[in-house]
Amino acid sequence: MTDPVPVADLVDQNCHGVLRTELGLGTFEARLTAADGAPPAPGTTFFDTQTGFAVRRWCPPLLGLEAHCPPAHYLARRRELGVAETSRRLLRASGVRAHLVDTGLPGDLTAPAEMAATAGSQAREIVRLEVLAEQVADTSGTVDTFLVNLGEAVHTAASSAVAFTSDGGGGPFAAPAPPGPVRVRAAAGRWLARREAERRAARRGAGDRDRGPSPVEPELLDHLRWSAVACGLPLQLRLGAADPARLADFAAATEGHGCDLVLLHGYPHHRQTAALAGRHPHVYADLGAVPARTGARAAGVLAEILELAPFGKLLFSSGAQGLPELHLVGARQFREALGRVLGGWVEDGAWTREDAARVAAMIGSGNARRVYGLE
């Protein structure tokens, strides 16, 4: 049997806060997946997923129950302990020493300071560019005022945040050059006018409440991304299920600008993501979502990524949001999977155990501390 290589402290370089409110069975299980509101198949449950099985494996013992206990028993114990105590136990058991928190999601989620207090960790904020634009739009009148305020908001955020993040693949792909001021102003005008029309429709009761606010105009979003690049902070680009090849031109164009790009959530295109990180000195590949979503297959997927990217270009994250269980599962599954992969190579004689431990520390925390300037 392979002797796993231990993976010590972790830096979770992309996550979200946890919910402050209690959840029922249906609401809880819906948050186990990224199904965008779609229900499970009739007669089934989202606990019947790799993530659901991992939650039942790792979380019940921390709440005083047997592993793999029925979901109803687990949630009853969760309610008995309360949200605050459950979150404290699970977050502290994850062994994450620093949380980099994307604060751009809606909902009653803990902010970085509260995450730090609950988890006993360091916590820093990641600013979502799309949300920053919406906040500035709500307090600006004319297009010119909006653009001036937006530039100031980006620079103000850069003084306290640890990184910026933007939708890099699921929405409009990032352009390989910043748009000119005329195009930016026109895009801002279109977007502000559309938002105002939506507000008027909502006041009349004629708006589409399920659709949400209009997405930021592509050229305005490109302006924001290039403004973030100019600030020098790392820029995280969320891929979703999009092919990272869409970002190849942007990656080439930003090389030498002093801004690191971190490609988030590349699974199932993890091999292409790792390859892109290997081609550019400032591009990094995030391992978020791989351990939790692939469950028992996580070691195999991680091994594929390690075939393609230099070890100094890989970063751990949980990508967790809402449930403290997802923070714990992301950390536990990652530790186990990486430990098994490296331990197997040591057993085969391909690596020394000392080298394996050094690489585990790089991927688990060292690379993130270097990229984000953490102490």
Side-chain angles (χ1 to χ4, degrees), residues 11 15 27 33 41 92 103 108 181 198 237 242 275 286-287 297 302 326 341 364:
V11 171
C15 64
T27 310
T33 74
R92 295 197 176 212
T103 56
D108 188 23
E198 290 170 350
L237 296 169
D286 165 62
L287 301 176
R297 276 282 301 143
L302 283 179
L326 299 181
V341 170

Side-chain angles (χ1 to χ4, degrees), residues 44-93:
T44 70
T45 166
F46 282 135
F47 274 101
D48 290 329
T49 58
Q50 290 285 13
T51 303
F53 272 70
V55 166
R56 292 177 58 207
R57 174 190 181 185
W58 294 113
C59 299
L62 295 169
L63 305 190
L65 301 171
E66 292 185 2
H68 302 292
C69 71
H73 292 179
Y74 176 75
L75 291 181
R77 176 59 174 161
R78 201 180 191 274
R79 287 191 295 272
E80 180 183 339
L81 289 172
V83 173
E85 177 61 15
T86 297
S87 296
R88 188 189 69 81
R89 290 190 186 193
L90 297 179
L91 291 177
R92 295 197 176 212

Side-chain angles (χ1 to χ4, degrees), residues 97-131:
R97 299 299 173 232
H99 291 90
L100 308 189
V101 184
D102 175 353
T103 56
L105 289 184
D108 188 23
L109 302 176
T110 53
E114 192 174 350
M115 277 287 291
T118 303
S121 68
Q122 177 187 8
R124 298 286 301 278
E125 182 182 15
I126 299 169
V127 171
R128 190 173 290 215
L129 292 173
E130 293 86 343
V131 173

